[in-house]
Amino acid sequence: MSGHIILRDVAQAAGVSMRTASRVLNNDPRVADATRRRVQDVIRDLGFVPDSAARSLRAGTDATIGLVVESVDDPFFATLVGAVELAASEAGRSVLIASTHRDPARERTLVEQLIRRRVAGLILAPTAGDHSWLQPVAAATPVVLVDRPADGVDADLVGVDDRAATARAVGHLASHGHRRIAYVGDHPRVPTSLARLAGYREAMAARGLDVPGDLVRADCPDPRSAADATRKLLAGQAPTAIISAATRCSLGVVPALHAERRTDVALVSFGDFAMADALQPGITVLDHPAGTVGLAAVGRLTARLADPDLPVLTTHVPVRLIQRGSGELTA
Amino acid sequence: MSGHIILRDVAQAAGVSMRTASRVLNNDPRVADATRRRVQDVIRDLGFVPDSAARSLRAGTDATIGLVVESVDDPFFATLVGAVELAASEAGRSVLIASTHRDPARERTLVEQLIRRRVAGLILAPTAGDHSWLQPVAAATPVVLVDRPADGVDADLVGVDDRAATARAVGHLASHGHRRIAYVGDHPRVPTSLARLAGYREAMAARGLDVPGDLVRADCPDPRSAADATRKLLAGQAPTAIISAATRCSLGVVPALHAERRTDVALVSFGDFAMADALQPGITVLDHPAGTVGLAAVGRLTARLADPDLPVLTTHVPVRLIQRGSGELTA
DNA sequence: ATAACGTTTGCCATCGATGGCAACGGTGCC
DNA sequence: GGCACCGTTGCCATCGATGGCAAACGTTAT
């Protein structure tokens, strides 16, 4: 009576039956305006809120969105999560988060957990590898992929055009006279990384620029290995410019360049990061718009929840190139 | 029958009654070992998982933890959220996140939403201001505060000793010969900031160091204002050292120092950040251990869920001082 | 007066898990 | 032989919201 207010209390207080109260709650038109107002007033006064567990049980679904990312503790995903949470709360939905830490088995477990929690929909940044197990899930529960496609699943995708953006970075550097442009990135088995590497290679080829094997270090999943790769690049016939294909990589490349006092080497980072403008020189970046991606993903998910028969769509959010100095200098 | 497996299916397949199947599920001792094993096998084979909505409805509670922070998109909280999520998933619990964005009204709404979702417990980084409304909530649902206390609530708290840590920063700088030490921090109405400011003042006083009003800029909630404050500090009778009392502030102070070419001014940042070691000089920091705090918070919450009668406890996680150069140089 | 219509009411089942309770066949003990 | 247990079974209610259905309202039109 005191702590917990349920629909029955509302009905009693408003002097109507539960049936009518329920109708008001669900905007059923078969309620007289006067009655509707009276019930709504009581709902406000009593602070009644429908029990989501009961609703979820009855309806077989829930207002919650499941959000599965690689790691919340990563600047890109942190921003993404923030945007998703904000957009979701504006749509009256809660967000359950989970991190895969790049473990496909964990990813699958997490997704299954969320599904049986009957989430309304899923926003998922898939790990690498086959995702055909996801197809039946996606058929039953709306799924929006973010940042990268998933192998073997046909679902909405919101991301950026990694290939074109990376090609743009190459173009930028080339137009500043660079010909020996190295690439430091994550493993190409991550689709995003693969696309970036492809964009790099294509753009280089399009300009007739050579890409000897030792210029490409696509095996850096973390800052430490990126720093190693950078040191090795500098030790050989050093490039005049480097494209760091992920923020995570830049966090290794930049310290390495500074430690070796080789800030004369041009750099474009795929992904902005705090303080990138405080360094000398400021780091020129492709701004990976995590917030915009998150927002668009919620938008798409909401649309699909409203109409499950929408055609599958891939959305590309634009990527800006922010010049800050590190990509414009020449050795 | 196919997509959804419920307890009845398990009972049928195992040739037992639902009552017995339920007993197995809840580790009721009144089940013969052979039967228990048989049922468990069926559960595995069929991939049965109890419906959480039904459980939640029946039990009046849920396995989910509600996590309310200021903003997921903040390095400290991002790490905190990551640690909480990891620890929670190991304890078999999910995490619902929500960001207050420093809005007390929003905080209250979010907490109430989570409560009516019947979360098992709450981990909350409270905003500033009176929280007496939280007291009844905390009485019914376990609440663990993180990072800072909440006014008017007696609940478990996991954080760091802000006062002592900041005092340590002062001591560090003073022992390197600094006497004119400035303070740049957030508003003192945030309890954490207040404690840091107090630690600063006390430590300064203890060493007989003067703190004229223009040395203290406790009004910087974001990097931009911290950068402004820094410029103003440098414009007057410049300090030889600055304590930046939050990562958010450092992200403004550091660029400002670099832009004004005043990296000779010593700096200690409360809160580490990416690349703090790549700058010249590397930034000396008090490492605000977000991960450890998150972990400890989940631990405390789990303990309290197991035994609601535990006494209210404040836990302080140790803070390390990481010397990287910026706090050791003298003008 | 009767029909028609819009609104409201009870009543009951459903969603899936859980737990109280009575009952029942078996085993072992006195 | 009688009795106390143990494992197990059915049956039923409960958690809160929802929706189908038939019936009963009050009004208004015919």
Side-chain angles (χ1 to χ4, degrees):
Chain A
M1 178 117 36
S2 50
H4 237 65
I5 289 159
I6 63 178
L7 192 58
R8 194 187 318 130
D9 304 333
V10 172
Q12 264 171 16
V16 298
S17 71
M18 279 183 64
R19 194 72 189 76
T20 303
S22 175
R23 284 223 165 94
V24 172
L25 221 54
N26 293 280
N27 293 319
D28 189 308
R30 291 171 297 175
V31 179
D33 283 358
T35 312
R36 160 162 293 129
R37 263 193 297 279
R38 187 153 39 92
V39 173
Q40 279 167 342
D41 285 352
V42 171
I43 288 179
R44 304 191 87 175
D45 294 350
L46 266 54
F48 164 80
V49 187
D51 183 297
S52 48
R55 263 198 165 154
S56 165
L57 175 61
R58 173 65 216 233
T61 185
D62 191 284
T64 307
I65 292 176
L67 176 57
V68 181
V69 296
E70 195 173 299
S71 163
V72 193
D73 189 7
D74 170 293
F76 174 72
F77 288 115
T79 304
L80 179 77
V81 171
V84 166
E85 189 252 317
L86 188 61
S89 87
E90 274 167 12
R93 297 180 179 280
S94 314
V95 178
L96 274 167
I97 44 157
S99 305
T100 63
H101 299 288
R102 296 202 168 194
D103 177 347
R106 182 173 163 86
E107 178 191 12
R108 186 165 180 177
T109 307
L110 291 171
V111 167
E112 282 165 354
Q113 271 178 20
L114 289 168
I115 291 300
R116 74 166 127 95
R117 270 200 121 67
R118 303 166 181 254
V119 291
L122 272 181
I123 295 179
L124 170 67
T127 60
D130 179 55
H131 277 70
S132 46
W133 56 268
L134 185 59
Q135 189 63 61
V137 170
T141 305
V143 173
V144 175
L145 303 173
V146 282
D147 195 47
R148 46 186 100 146
D151 245 33
V153 186
D154 192 33
D156 288 322
L157 170 64
V158 177
V160 302
D161 190 339
D162 291 286
R163 178 183 297 231
T166 313
R168 183 132 66 97
V170 172
H172 177 71
L173 289 167
S175 76
H176 282 269
H178 292 282
R179 302 188 51 80
R180 194 167 164 74
I181 304 172
Y183 176 96
V184 176
D186 202 341
H187 290 287
R189 62 187 167 75
V190 181
T192 307
S193 303
L194 181 61
R196 293 177 191 176
L197 183 53
Y200 162 76
R201 286 196 189 283
E202 286 169 17
M204 291 294 276
R207 282 170 184 74
L209 298 177
D210 228 24
V211 181
D214 64 337
L215 265 191
V216 176
R217 312 295 309 221
D219 55 353
C220 308
D222 54 61
R224 179 184 305 271
S225 50
D228 280 352
T230 306
R231 277 189 288 275
K232 281 181 192 130
L233 282 171
L234 296 176
Q237 193 193 338
T240 66
I242 299 177
I243 290 177
S244 168
T247 298
R248 241 189 325 276
C249 293
S250 304
L251 296 182
V253 173
V254 173
L257 288 178
H258 277 254
E260 308 260 332
R261 315 256 165 209
R262 287 303 303 274
T263 49
D264 58 301
V265 175
L267 175 65
V268 176
S269 165
F270 199 122
D272 201 356
F273 47 93
M275 311 276 307
D277 53 347
L279 296 161
Q280 301 293 337
I283 308 298
T284 291
V285 300
L286 288 164
D287 178 34
H288 199 178
T292 315
V293 169
L295 199 65
V298 174
R300 186 64 191 165
L301 185 57
T302 310
R304 182 167 291 283
L305 285 168
D307 176 6
D309 295 325
L310 290 176
V312 170
L313 183 71
T314 292
T315 309
H316 276 159
V317 165
V319 175
R320 288 177 308 145
L321 179 76
I322 305 176
Q323 301 189 26
R324 294 203 182 112
S326 69
E328 294 79 51
L329 305 175
T330 309
Chain B
M1 176 112 48
S2 49
H4 236 66
I5 289 158
I6 63 177
L7 193 58
R8 194 186 319 127
D9 304 332
V10 172
Q12 263 171 17
V16 299
S17 71
M18 278 183 65
R19 194 73 189 74
T20 304
S22 174
R23 286 224 165 94
V24 172
L25 220 55
N26 293 281
N27 293 318
D28 189 308
R30 291 170 298 174
V31 180
D33 283 358
T35 312
R36 160 162 291 129
R37 263 193 297 278
R38 187 152 39 94
V39 174
Q40 280 167 342
D41 286 352
V42 172
I43 288 178
R44 305 191 86 175
D45 294 350
L46 266 53
F48 164 81
V49 188
D51 184 296
S52 48
R55 261 197 168 158
S56 164
L57 176 61
R58 172 68 218 233
T61 185
D62 190 285
T64 307
I65 292 177
L67 176 57
V68 180
V69 296
E70 194 172 301
S71 163
V72 193
D73 189 7
D74 170 293
F76 174 72
F77 287 115
T79 305
L80 180 77
V81 171
V84 167
E85 189 252 319
L86 187 62
S89 88
E90 274 167 12
R93 297 181 180 277
S94 313
V95 178
L96 274 168
I97 43 157
S99 305
T100 63
H101 299 288
R102 296 200 168 196
D103 178 346
R106 183 173 163 86
E107 177 192 11
R108 186 166 179 176
T109 308
L110 291 172
V111 167
E112 282 166 354
Q113 271 179 19
L114 289 169
I115 291 301
R116 73 166 127 95
R117 272 200 120 68
R118 302 166 181 252
V119 291
L122 273 181
I123 294 178
L124 169 67
T127 60
D130 179 55
H131 277 71
S132 46
W133 55 268
L134 184 60
Q135 189 63 62
V137 170
T141 305
V143 173
V144 174
L145 303 173
V146 281
D147 195 47
R148 47 186 99 147
D151 244 33
V153 187
D154 192 33
D156 288 322
L157 170 65
V158 178
V160 302
D161 190 337
D162 290 287
R163 177 184 298 232
T166 312
R168 184 132 65 97
V170 172
H172 177 71
L173 289 167
S175 76
H176 281 269
H178 292 283
R179 301 188 51 79
R180 195 168 163 74
I181 304 172
Y183 176 96
V184 175
D186 202 342
H187 291 287
R189 61 188 166 77
V190 181
T192 308
S193 303
L194 182 61
R196 293 177 192 176
L197 183 54
Y200 161 78
R201 286 195 188 283
E202 284 169 18
M204 290 294 276
R207 281 171 185 75
L209 298 177
D210 229 24
V211 181
D214 64 336
L215 265 191
V216 176
R217 312 294 309 222
D219 55 354
C220 309
D222 53 62
R224 178 183 308 269
S225 52
D228 280 353
T230 306
R231 277 189 289 275
K232 280 180 193 136
L233 282 172
L234 296 176
Q237 192 194 339
T240 65
I242 299 177
I243 289 176
S244 167
T247 298
R248 240 188 326 275
C249 293
S250 304
L251 296 181
V253 173
V254 173
L257 287 178
H258 277 254
E260 309 258 333
R261 315 254 165 210
R262 286 303 303 274
T263 50
D264 58 299
V265 175
L267 176 65
V268 176
S269 164
F270 199 122
D272 202 356
F273 48 93
M275 311 274 309
D277 52 348
L279 297 161
Q280 301 293 338
I283 308 298
T284 292
V285 300
L286 287 164
D287 177 34
H288 200 178
T292 315
V293 170
L295 198 68
V298 174
R300 186 62 191 168
L301 185 56
T302 310
R304 182 166 291 282
L305 284 169
D307 177 6
D309 295 325
L310 290 175
V312 169
L313 183 71
T314 292
T315 309
H316 277 159
V317 165
V319 175
R320 288 177 308 145
L321 179 76
I322 305 177
Q323 301 191 24
R324 293 202 182 112
S326 70
E328 293 78 51
L329 306 174
T330 307

